[in-house]
Amino acid sequence: MATRNLPKPPAASPWKPAGARAQQREAKRNAVLQTAARLFNERGYHATSLDDIAEQLHVSKPTLYYYVKSKDDILLECVRTALGMMQQGIDEVRRAGGSAIDQLMACMRIYSRIVTMDFGMCVIRIGEDPLPAPRRKELRRLKAGIDGEFRRLIADGIAEGSLAPCDPKMAAFVLAGALSWIGRWYRPDGGLDPDAIADQSIALLMAGVQQRDPSPRRIPKKPAVRKSK
C-alpha cells in the first residue's frame, strides 16, 4: 500500500493565551508587593531599596519596573490592598446582617486579623507618611471609610441597647487604635496565633479589665482630721 502523506501537527506555540499571561503577570506583581511589604515591615521603608526587593525575588531591578513604577507606588499598593481587604470584610459582615454588637465584633476580628498580615502591618508600621501629599489624601479617604463603618456600628449598638451610651467617634478611635497596635508588636513566631490574639483583644476591649462585683463596693470614708488649736 502507498504511504499516505498525513499532515504534520501544528507546532506548539511558546506563547501562552492572553488570559494566562495576564494571570501570570498579576501573580508576579503580587509577589513583588508581598515581598516589598515584608521587607518594609522588617527593615523600614527608607532602609529598603528596589535592589533589595529584586534580590529577594531573584530578578534584576529593571524587571521590577514591568510590574511597578516606583517604591512609592509599591507602598501605595500595599497599603491600598490592606485597606481594601478590611473594607471588603466589613461589607460582607454588613450584608450578612445580625445584631449591631455581633457585627461590630466580627469587624473587629477582621481588622485584627489583617493587621497581622504583611500588607496590614504595612499600614500600621509604615503608613502613608512617606508618600507624596496626593497619595496620602487617597489613603486617608480609605481609612476614613473604615472609621465611619465602626462609628455606625457603635451608634447602632447604642440604639439597640447592646452597647453602653458613649461617643461613637471616640469609641471607634479607641477600638481601632487598640487593634491597630497589634500590627506593631505581633510576631509570627510569638506565643499566640492571630486568632488567639483577636479573641483575647476583642474580649478585653468589649468587657474591660476591671473586676465586676455583683454587690456594690463601699468606699471607706476618710477619717476626720482634727485641727490643732
Side-chain angles (χ1 to χ4, degrees):
M1 293 178 60
T3 304
R4 298 178 61 185
N5 293 323
L6 298 175
K8 293 182 180 179
S13 173
W15 284 271
K16 294 184 178 181
R21 289 200 302 270
Q23 277 187 330
Q24 189 178 58
R25 184 182 186 281
E26 186 63 20
K28 290 179 178 179
R29 183 174 182 275
N30 286 336
V32 171
L33 297 178
Q34 194 85 43
T35 300
R38 177 174 55 80
L39 292 178
F40 291 163
N41 294 327
E42 291 175 356
R43 305 180 183 182
Y45 177 74
H46 296 294
T48 302
S49 67
L50 289 178
D51 288 315
D52 295 329
I53 299 168
E55 181 181 357
Q56 289 283 312
L57 292 166
H58 308 294
V59 298
S60 65
K61 182 177 176 181
T63 301
L64 294 182
Y65 290 113
Y66 182 66
Y67 305 100
V68 292
K69 297 177 182 177
S70 64
K71 195 167 80 164
D72 283 352
D73 183 52
I74 293 175
L75 177 58
L76 175 68
E77 289 305 314
C78 288
V79 176
R80 183 190 281 155
T81 297
L83 296 176
M85 291 165 62
M86 289 179 184
Q87 188 63 59
Q88 181 181 357
I90 291 171
D91 289 344
E92 290 173 359
V93 168
R94 298 284 278 179
R95 283 194 297 270
S99 67
I101 189 169
D102 286 342
Q103 289 187 49
L104 176 62
M105 292 174 68
C107 290
M108 290 170 67
R109 177 175 293 280
I110 289 166
Y111 195 105
S112 172
R113 186 69 181 86
I114 290 174
V115 299
T116 63
M117 300 176 181
D118 288 327
F119 291 140
M121 282 193 284
C122 220
V123 175
I124 308 306
R125 298 185 182 184
I126 311 299
E128 76 274 3
D129 289 344
L131 296 173
R135 293 185 170 187
R136 288 201 304 268
K137 186 176 180 180
E138 177 188 352
L139 294 181
R140 285 170 184 168
R141 177 182 57 79
L142 295 173
K143 286 183 177 181
I146 294 169
D147 174 66
E149 297 286 358
F150 272 80
R151 293 189 200 185
R152 279 191 288 274
L153 285 170
I154 292 168
D156 290 347
I158 295 169
E160 75 180 14
S162 60
L163 294 178
C166 61
D167 178 355
K169 177 181 178 180
M170 176 64 73
F173 282 162
V174 171
L175 293 180
L179 295 174
S180 293
W181 205 251
I182 294 171
R184 290 277 183 184
W185 54 258
Y186 170 73
R187 294 292 181 274
D189 57 352
L192 293 174
D193 63 32
D195 288 334
I197 290 171
D199 288 341
Q200 292 195 36
S201 298
I202 293 169
L204 286 169
L205 288 168
M206 299 304 289
V209 295
Q210 184 178 4
Q211 178 65 43
R212 298 299 192 269
D213 190 343
S215 60
R217 185 172 298 176
R218 293 183 178 180
I219 301 175
K221 294 182 178 180
K222 291 182 179 180
V225 179
R226 292 184 178 180
K227 295 183 179 180
S228 58
K229 294 183 179 179

